[in-house]
Amino acid sequence: QVQLVESGGGLVQAGGSLRLSCAASGSIFKVNAMDWYRQAPGKTRGLVATITSGGSTNYADFVKGRFTISRDNAKNTVYLQMNSLKPEDTAVYYCNANIQSRTTGIPLNYWGQGTQVTVSS
């Protein structure tokens, strides 16, 4: 089965940095787009950044200039480098990937378990 495992969350002071990682594993044939979402307390889950299999990126306005999404296709891993963190960035961060598995042969979206990011002032 295909799984996404996240790591890198934690507590950091305002202005600090964190790097989140999300690694896909299992019977993978092809990994297409990979994304990061976040959900703050009392808020809906929203898209933070996306990256295509070819490396094209897109960002939500509230993280432009501060966050960078990247991927390592050899490791089936997507990263989110977060700099100049603000208390408003506090949320549970989830990765998502569109993956074609060797078992099913069709592309499906998979979610990571979520990792807590807390930014203190």
Side-chain angles (χ1 to χ4, degrees):
Q1 302 288 76
V2 174
Q3 296 183 89
L4 300 179
V5 179
E6 301 180 31
S7 62
L11 195 156
V12 65
Q13 293 182 342
S17 299
L18 285 173
R19 190 177 79 152
L20 306 183
S21 299
C22 176
S25 62
S27 57
I28 296 171
F29 175 73
K30 182 181 180 183
V31 180
N32 301 307
M34 305 184 83
D35 316 314
W36 286 99
Y37 291 75
R38 73 185 190 187
Q39 188 166 16
K43 303 294 179 62
T44 58
R45 187 173 300 184
L47 183 65
V48 175
T50 66
I51 184 167
T52 69
S53 60
S56 297
T57 60
N58 195 22
Y59 299 91
D61 288 340
F62 51 82
V63 302
K64 285 183 178 178
R66 300 188 298 123
F67 291 9
T68 302
I69 187 171
S70 62
R71 64 192 289 165
D72 184 339
N73 290 336
K75 297 181 178 180
N76 290 327
T77 299
V78 62
Y79 306 94
L80 186 67
Q81 178 66 49
M82 305 184 293
N83 300 324
S84 302
L85 282 163
K86 305 174 181 179
E88 309 92 87
D89 296 318
T90 295
V92 177
Y93 284 71
Y94 299 89
C95 65
N96 178 276
N98 184 269
I99 298 172
Q100 184 178 352
S101 74
R102 303 181 71 89
T103 303
T104 66
I106 57 174
L108 296 172
N109 287 321
Y110 297 85
W111 288 96
Q113 81 279 11
T115 184
Q116 177 69 48
V117 172
T118 302
V119 184
S120 64
S121 61

